Amino acid sequence: MTVVDTVSPLRLSHLDALESEAAHIFREAAAEFERPVLLFSGGKDSIVMLHVAMKAFWPAKVPFGLLHVDTGHNFPEVLEYRDRTVAEHGLRLEVAKVQDYIDDGRLRERADGTRNPLQTVPLLDAINAHRFDAVFGGGRRDEEKARAKERVFSLRDEFGQWDPRRQRPELWSLYNGRHRPGEHVRVFPLSNWTELDVWQYIEQEKIELPEIYFAHEREVFKRNGMWLTPGEWGGPKDGETIETRSVRYRTVGDMSCTGAVDSTAATLQDIITEIAASTLTERGATRADDKMSEAAMEDRKREGYF
Amino acid sequence: MTAIHEPPLETPAGTLLRLATAGSVDDGKSTLVGRLLHDTKQVFADQLDAVERVSRERGLDGADLALLTDGLRAEREQGITIDVAYRYFATPKRRFILADTPGHVQYTRNMVTGASTAQLAVVLVDARHGVVEQTRRHAAVAALLKVPHVVLAVNKMDLVDYRESVFAPIADEFAAYTRALGVPDVTAIPISALAGDNVVDPSNHMDWYAGPTLLEHLENVDVDHDPQFCAARLPVQYVLRPQSPEFRDYRGYAGQVTAGAFRPGDEVLVLPSGRRTTIAGIDRLGEQDVDLAYAPQSVTIRLADDVDVSRGDVIVAADRAPEVTQDVVATVCHIADRPLRAGDRVLLRHGTSTVKAIVRSLDSTLNLETLRRDPNPEALRANDIGQVTLRTAAPLPLDDYADHRRTGSFLLIDDADGTTLTAGMVGVPLGSED
Ligand SMILES: Nc1nc2c(ncn2[C@@H]2O[C@H](COP(=O)(O)OP(=O)(O)OP(=O)(O)O)[C@@H](O)[C@H]2O)c(=O)[nH]1
Ligand SMILES: [Mg+2]
């Protein structure tokens, strides 16, 4: 037990304030919706989301399951982490597979091999099939300029679409989750967190992460200025050569479009120091899909992407 | 321009400042936000590259810093802000959450969204045009939302030769207007968002101005308020009953402390029922039996008696309870396109409860020019600020908004499609009786 000094003012640390805000958002959504689900990719943001959710409902179980949209191009360490986490905490997991859609022709492989944009259809189908009415996403407003515009409770129409010009006003912390049948709401508990906050929180809470977030020796090849991992998904191609470098991942997504960064950061402290000194945003440094056009993220979000 | 990204790793606890920009269209809000981010070294190289590339494509000389926040395609095409952008930055002194809001009257609802959580509003005016209708509207919204600090940034001083004779009358006019609105703290600063004068770095062109730069002011404005001295409130969000072998009889009321502090042993009331009980224990996000819970912590409270408590109830300090009533008198800002009329049946969302309500009467609207209340309007239309009387289907514990932002505010919602119609604040009206 901590001794309380009643004279000194009560002030919440920055990370504790963010955690409390996220817990409030989880509890609001769990109470207001009938069938929420948490998007879990095994990336750091979804891991932090799940961690806060478990704390928010302790000592009860998290009152919703997880949904993973599997591109088929996963890092094995991340899938292993996902399955271990699900088993350890007795969670429910649904997996929507992009590969199934490609196999039966509902989706076609893109020329560049990137499957990130292909996730939208399986995601929306899973939302419809399970009648999920609230979908927790790990999106943060500091990630990208279109995300910076999004509400905490973000309404999607019956086609899963986001209309950035017609967002609902969102005042104080009074989240309005009302929606018509067929519509659903994306809920972003980490809206106000920055990349640095996420890492500092991971350190504070001693949260375990997949190893690929830490520096390791890896065979990589260069494409569009990024270090990619070779694989069946389509690399390296002519003229691209494999080399072994010390790298780590700053984001974890589809293998075909998520780049590694040169790094020797082996501990959380090293990573925090490295991120604080980084001159590139995490998506700018690691995501090919956002480099495609000026409004790539906005366009994908409009269609129903995460 | 060179972008350097150097965020501080640590900032002191409790020093977060939430601020929002305000003011008329094209007065330079987004440019100012870009300038603040840029000059405090919080822009990444790839963000600045993208902004410079788009600026070049448009034939501009330098980088248009407004593009750092105007992130939607339509915003970039039209050169205006449509919806709020949230940006995060920090200096070694404090952290900031910045909401860049739109100036266009059509998007006032998004300005209200950004200002509702702000502790400080930076109201911009174009030095060439002075205080215009939209400046007044935003100042009134800030006053209505009880944003405690207001900064008037007289912008584009570069276009008026940095003359004090332009600045001073605008500052005077605005001070008189905000005084009439009851805004407690107003500071006026002459700036050029485009050139960077008095934003982060002091201006070389305005020797006559001896006050702080905008950033200096933002770093030093005092928003510290100690929850220990406020009346404690916790709207119950969720009842936790694990029914596991280890926690068989556990029954906890999960919620965020919206004001004040609770300790085990404290006497509390559960509202609206009014049942009196004591706090048996407090758990904080997995930490069992803590000594104290204070705003804005998310916690779980266990109560001594087996009282009936559910979502929508509010646990409050027994000696400082709010009034419980079905008759709501409030000042509102109407934000939906469809008007609000006497007799309308709506949903009222207060804290964690949603009840049916009927609009009994529309009592007045605020005239932004004269700050007088015009009585008995026929309807409240988008962007109108007015005084209304409502009757709710169930009693609600209503605080005065002036004392409790979280439990003194409410929304009116359209039951049919869920549209947020009106933002309401319980208590004292703005303006004067005619
Ligand atoms: N000369 C000069 N021009 C400025 C200054 N600040 C902004 N501008 C220009 O004014 C125009 C509008 O600026 P914005 O920052 O987009 O204005 P805004 O207030 O954000 O507009 P909305 O968000 O649409 O309400 C742009 O062309 C800016 O370059 C300034 O200090 N001096
Ligand atoms: Mg703007």
Side-chain angles (χ1 to χ4, degrees):
Chain A
M1 283 229 281
T2 49
V3 180
V4 180
D5 179 1
T6 47
V7 183
S8 68
L10 303 175
R11 293 194 180 117
L12 210 51
S13 84
H14 173 62
L15 291 178
D16 289 344
L18 288 172
E19 181 190 58
S20 277
E21 180 184 64
H24 174 256
I25 294 166
F26 272 120
R27 289 163 168 181
E28 279 305 281
E32 290 273 304
F33 295 94
E34 275 165 31
R35 300 175 66 85
V37 70
L38 186 148
L39 288 172
F40 190 81
S41 65
K44 65 180 189 312
D45 299 313
S46 59
I47 291 169
V48 165
M49 261 208 304
L50 179 60
H51 182 86
V52 178
M54 289 195 294
K55 292 181 80 169
F57 297 100
W58 182 93
K61 279 186 151 194
V62 176
F64 39 78
L66 311 182
L67 171 64
H68 181 209
V69 182
D70 178 350
T71 62
H73 293 158
N74 297 294
F75 296 94
E77 297 90 335
V78 176
L79 281 191
E80 187 271 327
Y81 180 97
R82 179 196 76 184
D83 294 337
R84 192 154 40 84
T85 304
V86 166
E88 203 173 296
H89 302 292
L91 302 162
R92 269 174 294 133
L93 171 73
E94 300 290 342
V95 182
K97 292 191 165 151
V98 172
Q99 189 64 52
D100 292 348
Y101 283 71
I102 291 175
D103 290 347
D104 66 17
R106 279 177 290 172
L107 285 174
R108 227 173 319 145
E109 196 86 79
R110 296 161 51 100
D112 61 5
T114 297
R115 286 189 177 177
N116 244 19
L118 302 186
Q119 295 180 89
T120 301
V121 174
L123 169 66
L124 295 179
D125 284 352
I127 290 171
N128 275 333
H130 295 279
R131 288 181 289 113
F132 293 131
D133 52 0
V135 181
F136 295 106
R140 309 187 319 263
R141 288 167 174 162
D142 85 317
E143 266 179 89
E144 205 278 334
K145 59 189 185 306
R147 286 216 161 141
K149 297 269 165 183
E150 189 151 19
R151 303 280 190 259
V152 173
F153 273 37
S154 183
L155 189 65
R156 300 302 158 104
D157 68 14
E158 57 189 317
F159 302 99
Q161 299 181 111
W162 179 57
D163 185 350
R165 302 197 59 160
R166 307 189 62 86
Q167 296 199 88
R168 234 177 222 173
E170 190 165 80
L171 285 99
W172 303 291
S173 313
L174 283 177
Y175 304 114
N176 176 2
R178 299 228 148 216
H179 60 281
R180 285 182 283 210
E183 296 177 338
H184 72 276
V185 176
R186 300 283 171 92
V187 179
F188 299 102
L190 308 185
S191 285
N192 289 323
W193 298 48
T194 64
E195 184 189 16
L196 198 53
D197 297 331
V198 167
W199 284 105
Q200 289 185 321
Y201 183 76
I202 289 168
E203 190 191 33
Q204 170 180 300
E205 299 289 301
K206 303 189 173 62
I207 301 172
E208 194 206 324
L209 291 181
E211 299 101 77
I212 62 167
Y213 278 113
F214 300 91
H216 55 284
E217 297 280 315
R218 178 180 285 267
E219 290 195 331
V220 289
F221 68 94
K222 196 164 216 163
R223 181 179 292 172
N224 297 330
M226 294 192 315
W227 296 115
L228 298 181
T229 295
E232 283 171 21
W233 57 267
K237 286 185 184 152
D238 317 335
E240 295 170 335
T241 52
I242 294 185
E243 54 186 293
T244 303
R245 302 182 72 90
S246 174
V247 296
R248 65 175 202 88
Y249 283 87
R250 234 173 120 179
T251 65
V252 164
D254 180 60
M255 245 186 188
S256 60
C257 67
T258 308
V261 293
D262 282 318
S263 172
T264 53
T267 65
L268 288 172
Q269 251 313 314
D270 296 344
I271 292 175
I272 289 167
T273 311
E274 188 181 284
I275 293 201
S278 170
T279 58
L280 296 179
T281 61
E282 69 177 19
R283 300 195 81 88
T286 65
R287 290 296 178 96
D289 48 339
D290 285 343
K291 295 187 174 169
M292 291 188 292
S293 91
E294 200 26 51
M297 173 64 93
E298 180 180 341
D299 294 342
R300 269 180 290 142
K301 284 182 74 65
R302 278 171 177 277
E303 287 162 15
Y305 187 75
F306 304 123
Chain B
M1 266 185 245
T2 52
I4 316 166
H5 188 256
E6 292 175 0
L9 279 177
E10 300 291 339
T11 47
T15 58
L16 174 72
L17 178 72
R18 286 174 170 267
L19 68 147
T21 60
S24 191
V25 67
D26 276 351
D27 283 356
K29 297 176 290 298
S30 301
T31 308
L32 175 65
V33 169
R35 172 58 66 188
L36 261 177
L37 294 172
H38 180 271
D39 290 3
T40 54
K41 301 186 167 57
Q42 319 261 337
V43 182
F44 289 95
D46 52 321
Q47 290 173 323
L48 196 65
D49 284 350
V51 163
E52 282 174 341
R53 194 179 58 240
V54 175
S55 302
R56 258 197 318 277
E57 283 164 15
R58 305 236 169 114
L60 301 174
D61 289 339
D64 179 358
L65 291 175
L67 294 174
L68 280 170
T69 61
D70 287 339
L72 299 175
R73 188 196 293 279
E75 293 179 324
R76 290 167 167 237
E77 280 166 11
Q78 297 170 40
I80 62 165
T81 305
I82 291 172
D83 211 333
V84 201
Y86 292 93
R87 299 301 304 249
Y88 306 83
F89 73 107
T91 68
K93 282 202 171 162
R94 81 174 354 156
R95 249 165 232 280
F96 302 90
I97 297 182
L98 207 165
D100 181 34
T101 75
H104 197 289
V105 63
Q106 189 185 338
Y107 304 117
T108 303
R109 64 178 72 105
N110 297 333
M111 180 273 172
V112 179
T113 291
S116 68
T117 51
Q119 297 153 304
L120 182 144
V122 183
V123 181
L124 278 85
V125 301
D126 185 326
R128 296 169 301 174
H129 307 141
V131 174
V132 298
E133 185 186 358
Q134 197 60 353
T135 323
R136 290 197 196 93
R137 176 170 284 118
H138 283 185
V141 167
L144 176 66
L145 291 166
K146 298 263 183 274
V147 178
H149 306 273
V150 171
V151 174
L152 170 73
V154 179
N155 188 31
K156 309 199 186 183
M157 289 300 293
D158 54 302
L159 297 180
V160 295
D161 301 325
Y162 296 104
R163 273 176 295 146
E164 184 178 15
S165 59
V166 176
F167 170 76
I170 298 174
D172 289 345
E173 183 185 350
F174 189 78
Y177 190 74
T178 45
R179 207 176 308 118
L181 283 166
V183 178
D185 174 37
V186 182
T187 305
I189 306 177
I191 66 165
S192 168
L194 193 69
D197 296 81
N198 287 339
V199 178
V200 171
D201 302 318
S203 171
N204 293 324
H205 302 103
M206 291 181 271
D207 291 342
W208 48 267
Y209 175 75
T213 65
L214 178 62
L215 181 68
E216 277 166 0
H217 181 71
L218 297 180
E219 284 187 322
N220 293 313
V221 63
D222 183 14
V223 291
D224 196 24
H225 94 128
D226 191 340
Q228 260 173 127
F229 306 110
C230 297
R233 305 281 185 262
L234 180 135
V236 174
Q237 292 186 271
Y238 199 88
V239 182
L240 291 169
R241 286 199 301 136
Q243 293 170 310
S244 59
E246 203 189 336
F247 293 96
R248 189 162 302 285
D249 298 318
Y250 187 98
R251 195 183 174 90
Y253 304 107
Q256 192 171 19
V257 183
T258 58
F262 291 100
R263 291 184 172 77
D266 280 0
E267 218 170 89
V268 293
L269 298 182
V270 178
L271 300 179
S273 75
R275 288 288 301 271
R276 184 179 290 260
T277 177
T278 53
I279 295 183
I282 302 175
D283 304 321
R284 200 197 88 80
L285 301 178
E287 213 180 314
Q288 208 166 351
D289 282 316
V290 297
D291 298 344
L292 173 72
Y294 59 94
Q297 285 180 329
S298 282
V299 296
T300 305
I301 286 184
R302 286 173 278 118
L303 297 176
D305 304 289
D306 204 5
V307 289
D308 174 25
V309 182
S310 54
R311 176 173 170 85
D313 289 339
V314 186
I315 297 173
V316 306
D319 55 344
R320 295 170 78 184
E323 194 194 349
V324 177
T325 177
Q326 284 177 260
D327 295 298
V328 186
V329 178
T331 310
V332 301
C333 180
H334 190 65
I335 46 188
D337 291 330
R338 75 195 71 156
L340 190 74
R341 292 198 163 81
D344 281 358
R345 288 171 190 279
V346 293
L347 294 176
L348 188 151
R349 171 75 192 266
H350 169 256
T352 54
S353 77
T354 305
V355 298
K356 288 187 171 160
I358 181 161
V359 180
R360 271 280 165 82
S361 59
L362 304 179
D363 305 322
S364 61
T365 49
L366 183 70
N367 181 319
L368 290 175
E369 197 70 45
T370 61
L371 290 186
R372 279 173 187 280
R373 296 200 294 273
D374 298 334
N376 307 321
E378 174 261 327
L380 286 187
R381 296 175 199 287
N383 309 332
D384 278 352
I385 292 172
Q387 183 78 12
V388 302
T389 306
L390 308 159
R391 171 82 182 170
T392 59
L396 293 173
L398 293 179
D399 275 302
D400 216 321
Y401 182 77
D403 309 327
H404 289 269
R405 226 169 173 172
R406 293 280 289 272
T407 44
S409 56
F410 61 86
L411 302 176
L412 299 184
I413 295 170
D414 188 324
D415 198 7
D417 62 3
T419 302
T420 303
L421 301 170
T422 304
M425 284 133 278
V426 179
V428 206
L430 280 185
S432 58
E433 217 82 54
D434 55 351

